[in-house]
Amino acid sequence: MSETFADKVINFNLHLDYSGKLPEGFQVMNPYLDNPETMTVMQEFYHKYYNDSGQRRFIIGINPGRHGAGVTGVPFTDTKRLESVCGISMKSAYTHEVSSVFIYDMIHAFGGAADFYSEFYINSPFPLAIIRKTKEEKWLNANYYDDPALFEMVKDFMISSLKKHISLGLDTSEVFVLGKKNADFIHRLNSKEKLFGQLTVLDHPRYIQQYKLKDRQSYINHYLQAFLKKKQ
């Protein structure tokens, strides 16, 4: 029996490891090593929604948030939505992530998780959570592009990860990039590596939830228009 899309994603996640350098004050979190239950729920999620060999379209985030995929192992999915929408409960953690709220409201408007995930695959060029230490000795979410030295150190790993994502069975003619700054960096990598055709840029869910909350419905509509225009 041939490998399903789910098998390929699970295998990718099982072998995720970043052993490269990082600037001082940055750390990489690998949820699959940090919490055994993450591996279990991640596999359950992909077996539920990706247990076929169909091609998907690629939605590209930045890197996992420590309250979303940094815990559940599923991009843009906190434990609340993992249970309430996907029907998969996580006993060892309880998280709420603002980006997950927007993504799952958009998924609901699209037609639900089964329909959405049958067509789309979400992940990130740097597929592990990055955190940075503040002057107050607190650890906060960080983006791969927050520090020029950080980007240079993780760039080769990002290119390798994007190529591995593509090999899962993705349509590369058009990809959807979340976040304008993220898109600048993806465009830079794509110019050199020629990984994707068209880059369609969408505002990042965190930005929408934080700064454009009263207009969120129009942003949901914008996402749906971008996703559905190829079908028409």
Side-chain angles (χ1 to χ4, degrees), residues 23-232:
E24 190 176 347
F26 286 91
Q27 273 187 24
V28 167
M29 289 170 58
N30 187 333
Y32 307 112
L33 299 179
D34 296 341
N35 184 349
E37 195 185 10
T38 298
M39 190 68 76
T40 304
V41 299
M42 177 274 291
Q43 292 185 49
E44 200 177 330
F45 173 86
Y46 285 106
H47 280 140
K48 181 168 185 174
Y49 295 111
Y50 292 83
N51 210 26
D52 57 66
S53 53
Q55 192 180 55
R56 261 70 171 190
R57 298 157 79 196
F58 194 15
I59 300 172
I60 306 176
I62 301 169
N63 44 260
R66 61 198 173 117
H67 298 305
V71 172
T72 63
V74 179
F76 288 98
T77 305
D78 56 18
T79 65
K80 283 169 80 171
R81 261 115 317 243
L82 186 69
E83 182 164 10
S84 65
V85 181
C86 304
I88 301 168
S89 63
M90 195 165 182
K91 308 286 189 291
S92 60
Y94 180 81
T95 61
H96 171 91
E97 217 231 9
V98 295
S99 294
S100 184
V101 178
F102 178 86
I103 286 291
Y104 276 88
D105 283 350
M106 180 275 295
I107 286 172
H108 176 74
F110 184 88
D115 285 351
F116 183 81
Y117 289 126
S118 72
E119 291 191 39
F120 293 95
Y121 170 74
I122 311 177
N123 217 308
S124 303
F126 193 89
L128 294 168
I130 304 174
I131 53 174
R132 62 178 175 84
K133 191 186 276 189
T134 67
K135 290 175 183 173
E136 297 76 36
E137 301 287 308
K138 289 181 181 174
W139 290 96
L140 299 176
N141 277 334
N143 298 319
Y144 70 78
Y145 53 65
D146 283 349
D147 181 290
L150 174 65
F151 174 66
E152 286 304 318
M153 288 177 184
V154 301
K155 182 169 67 174
D156 288 345
F157 182 80
M158 288 170 59
I159 292 166
S160 170
S161 293
L162 287 169
K163 288 177 178 177
K164 286 175 183 173
H165 288 315
I166 291 167
S167 74
L168 301 174
L170 296 177
D171 176 354
T172 57
S173 61
E174 179 187 21
V175 295
F176 303 92
V177 186
L178 305 185
K180 290 179 175 136
K181 192 165 183 183
N182 185 31
D184 290 341
F185 282 83
I186 299 299
H187 180 74
R188 195 188 304 179
L189 295 180
N190 196 46
S191 297
K192 181 169 175 273
E193 298 293 328
K194 306 289 188 285
L195 302 169
F196 310 115
Q198 181 183 341
L199 302 185
T200 296
V201 184
L202 298 165
D203 284 294
H204 197 278
R206 176 168 283 277
Y207 166 78
I208 297 164
Q209 288 291 112
Q210 225 168 328
Y211 301 108
K212 300 289 181 180
L213 197 56
K214 68 180 193 309
D215 300 320
R216 70 194 303 278
Q217 188 56 51
S218 67
Y219 282 96
I220 288 173
N221 295 343
H222 183 61
Y223 267 61
L224 297 182
Q225 284 164 7
F227 294 157
L228 295 171
K229 72 176 186 290
K230 197 171 184 178
K231 285 183 163 185
Q232 292 165 356

